[in-house]
Amino acid sequence: MRYREYIRRKYLTIVGHVGTLLLGVALFLLLSLAALIQFPEELPHAPWFVVPALITAVIGAVFRLAGRSAGKMTLSLADGGIIVLLSWTLAMVLSALPFFLSGLLNYRNALFESVSGWTTTGLSVLNVETTPNIFLLWRSLMQFGGGAGLAIVMLSAIVGPHARGLYQAEGRTEQLLPNVKHSANVIIRIYVCYTALGAILYVVGGMSLFDAVNHSLCALSTGGFSTRVASIGYYDSPFVEVTTVVLMFLGATNFATHYVLLHGNHRAFFRNGEVRLAATLAIFFIPVILVAVALPLYSVEKALRVSLFEPVSALTTTGYTTVSYADWSDFGIACLLVLMLIGGGICSTAGGIKQYRVFLLLKSLAWEAKRYISPATAVHEHYIWRGESKFYVDSDHLKESGAYFFLYLCTYAIGVLILLACGYSLRDSLFEFASALGTVGLSVGITAPNAPALMLWTEMAGMFLGRLEFFVIIYSLISAARDIGSSLTSA
Amino acid sequence: MFVVIIGCGRLGSRLAIEASKGGMNVVVVDKNKRAFDLLTAEFSGFQVVGDASNQEVLRSAKISDADIVAAVTDNDNVNLMVAQAAKHLFGVGKVLARVTDPLKAEIYAQLGLKVLCPATVAADAIGAEMLK
């Protein structure tokens, strides 16, 4: 009986925190009304945002009140996972309401757009040409919020005693400062500053203010929603492309690494494994794509631009494009595929397997070889540079990365099989699901409003799993199921 | 506010949790990795494994940036040494040291350190309770 009471209080506390996060989502919904400043003629669309915002706020307030009745409780890491899982799910459902209520999309496509937004993927089933600007701004805002992480945005504003659970549950394993609240604060500050800088550069590059803000929000969050059908390709400007490449790289870099760099510690920056891996990949893939793919297709100048832009967009899991991939060779598609699977830095806004894990596993191969040729009694200290200090890698840490890698590839295989079953070619299925699972958003064009329902749901699942990094979802579901089970049996 | 806590026993861990909850930046140092098991999920600071009597370890805990250093290991001599290093070598503004032996507390206090003796503190508290 006592145990049941404990579980009841624990879940009330969890619900209370979800409520706080939802209040933030309501605020975000209202923020998209800012588009009315520039486009006052879109005022008739305002209710589609005000009503969902009210619904979200009411739910949030009720949840918070429920949470308050539980009193003070300490939540563990697993409970943080449940909070993150619940609030992301609710946020995605509620964020789909504007698209659905306005009749712009049916419920499935509206949800797809919202999931693609919050997970910073950028796959879209919306025709951006005919969509009112206010909805375009809402998509960009979702990516901005999703990029930083719902919990991080909230953490910087409020501090709970359960902060660390939330922080880690959302896929942040590295802290910048020895306090979660300060870390979250610094992340938000870095993030907002870069976004503002990006918007200014875009305006300088010739974009309208509205486009500049939208693209900056989506480039830094490595989201990739655009206000144009042809994405960045619409502007056909080297300046805009280079700006985007820089923003994408910034977005896909670990925030802890940013922090080190902004503090002027260049040595620690260049010692970082992720930075080295990303640089190596770029140095290898850009010339390869230039020679093998781009030069036969485009003029020399265009080829140079394409082979810089597309690999970076794939690696950083952003998903902006300047060209169509229809005439790309299979080799070129495969190169992008590899980059999409690897993805960005850990503790960044990007998705994928993450450079850190790939680097760690590559490093472990070297360690393994070294152990084999050393005397049997030799003692090795395996370390990598993380932030400003050495991090000693034990086998548990390696095991975790290995398990993640395996789980990622398994999920990828299952997703590809489902897409194949929907009748798409192997090339299209491999590419499109890697794009969804890695929250990239590059498309060979098969993600469309009239695509089979099964495929859209599969991609949604892929995006969701990819953003929240599997383990959080799996562990939270297991622990929630156990709590429900034990509270039933003890009744 | 940046706090470095040396020693993560029952006292140190509790101190660290409270400081972390209070919104301070906290780094805890202990030579035994298992000692950090005492920290709950409410602690969100950094942990440094190492012997605090080694200055390299203190440096990796960024002790020279600290606003407060609390040396609360169960070893009086280590506490004294760390406290002196923090005050004179690293120029930390506020240094607190725990001393188990009330007799030693006298001597340490004469060295210009802020010394807290748990036995004396507890005796005062219990005494006050008795006289109430």
Side-chain angles (χ1 to χ4, degrees), chain A residues 274-284:
Chain A
E274 290 185 325
V275 173
R276 289 185 174 180
L277 182 67
T280 314
L281 288 171
I283 291 170
F284 178 74

Side-chain angles (χ1 to χ4, degrees), chain A residues 227-358:
Chain A
T227 49
R228 306 287 174 184
V229 177
S231 190
I232 295 288
Y234 171 86
Y235 302 95
D236 194 27
S237 140
F239 185 82
V240 167
E241 281 167 28
V242 170
T243 305
T244 314
V245 165
V246 171
L247 286 180
M248 292 193 294
F249 260 127
L250 290 177
T253 305
N254 189 333
F255 277 106
T257 312
H258 277 303
Y259 187 71
V260 171
L261 186 66
L262 291 173
H263 273 239
N265 193 340
H266 302 291
R267 270 185 61 204
F269 177 75
F270 289 112
R271 225 164 24 196
N272 187 289
E274 290 185 325
V275 173
R276 289 185 174 180
L277 182 67
T280 314
L281 288 171
I283 291 170
F284 178 74
F285 276 102
I286 290 174
V288 165
I289 289 183
L290 176 70
V291 174
V293 185
L295 278 177
L297 282 176
Y298 313 105
S299 69
V300 175
E301 191 227 340
K302 174 98 178 159
L304 274 169
R305 277 161 55 189
V306 167
S307 54
L308 172 68
F309 193 89
E310 309 302 321
V312 173
S313 180
L315 180 67
T316 60
T317 74
T318 310
Y320 275 140
T321 51
T322 53
V323 286
S324 155
Y325 299 125
D327 45 4
W328 275 43
S329 64
D330 282 348
F331 177 73
I333 292 285
C335 284
L336 292 186
L337 196 71
V338 170
L339 292 172
M340 288 199 289
L341 286 176
I342 294 172
I346 214 157
C347 191
S348 74
T349 66
I353 294 168
K354 301 279 155 75
Q355 290 158 4
Y356 175 76
R357 296 198 182 93
V358 175

